[in-house]
Amino acid sequence: MISLQNRNDRRSNIASSLDWLDYTFVDAVHGSDIDTKALIHSGVLNQSFYDPSGLVNKNIIGCSLSHIKAWLKFKESGEDVGLILEDDAVYTPSFKLSQLQSEIDTLKWDAIYLGKKEKYITGIKETEHISRVLYGHGCWGAHAYLINKYSVDKLITKYQPIKLAVDVFIDHMTDELDIFTVNQSQFRQRGYDLISRITPNEDSDTDFNIKHLTSMKVDEIVESIEVSNYKDHKDYIPNRGWIKMNLKK
C-alpha cells in the first residue's frame, strides 16, 4: 500500500475500508524531497519525459519512485504474487475475487490491472472478466494492479531510466510483456467516479485537428517541450502519441 507517511487521513480510511486485506504500507516518496537533476545524472530519471497529456512534475516523479520502492519491497518478501495499491484506491467489486482468481490461474501474465479510473475497461478478451490491455483504455491509473515474482525484475529494469508516468509505462509495456486488465474495475481511484469528456468539434474551421492537441501542465523541472505525436517527429510511435518534456539537467 503506497502512501505518504503524513497522510494519516488516508491511512485511517484504508484501515477501516480494507481491513480484510493483509497489507504493508510503503512510505511514498514526496516530490519535494527529490532532486531531479541528481536523478538524471545517476541514470534513474531520463532527461526527456513523455506523457500523452503533457503532464509532469516532481510529485509524478515521486510517484514513479514510490512504485519502484513497492516493487523492491515485494521482491524482498519472497511472495509469489503482490497486489500494489495506492492509498486513494476504493474497493468497488463487480464480481467475486474467487472467480477472478480462477481466471488468473489460466493465464501467463506479468501484470494485471484490478481497476483503472473508469469503471468499464475495453480490451482483447481472454477470459470472462479479464482482457489484454489496450493502450490508454480505461483512462490510465496505477492505483491497483498485480505483479508476480517472475515479472518484478523485468518491470524494475525496463522502467529505468524513468521516462513515463507509472500507469502509462505499464500500458506501454503491452508490446513486450503480458499485461491484462479486468473488464470492470474492482478498485476505482477516489475522485474519478465521473470523468468529464471534451469532444472536439470536427466541423469547426478553427478547431480543425484539435483532437491531436493537448493542454500541458508542468512545473519548474521542465526546460522545454516538444509535440511529438506527429508522424514526422523522431520520437513518434503509432497510436502512442505523447508530449516530450525535456527536464533541466
Side-chain angles (χ1 to χ4, degrees), residues 97-119:
L97 289 176
S98 58
Q99 185 176 14
L100 178 61
Q101 182 66 64
S102 65
E103 295 180 34
I104 290 174
D105 290 342
T106 68
L107 300 173
K108 176 181 175 292
W109 60 276
D110 292 303
I112 302 177
Y113 287 103
L114 295 190
K116 289 194 175 187
K117 291 176 181 175
E118 294 181 346
K119 180 177 181 180

Side-chain angles (χ1 to χ4, degrees), residues 71 104 107-116 121-127 129-137 140-142 144-148 150-152 154-156 158-159 166-183 240:
W71 298 345
I104 290 174
L107 300 173
K108 176 181 175 292
W109 60 276
D110 292 303
I112 302 177
Y113 287 103
L114 295 190
K116 289 194 175 187
I121 309 166
T122 56
I124 303 172
K125 191 172 183 179
E126 292 282 341
T127 68
H129 298 102
I130 300 175
S131 301
R132 284 190 178 270
V133 164
L134 292 176
Y135 177 78
H137 285 233
W140 314 108
Y145 60 94
L146 297 169
I147 58 176
N148 61 51
Y150 304 108
S151 62
V152 62
K154 291 184 280 188
L155 290 169
I156 292 169
K158 291 179 181 295
Y159 197 34
V166 65
D167 52 348
V168 179
F169 163 73
I170 296 174
D171 265 31
H172 187 57
M173 282 293 99
T174 54
D175 294 337
E176 301 181 46
L177 302 178
D178 292 310
I179 312 295
F180 296 88
T181 180
V182 292
N183 53 32
R240 303 285 169 90

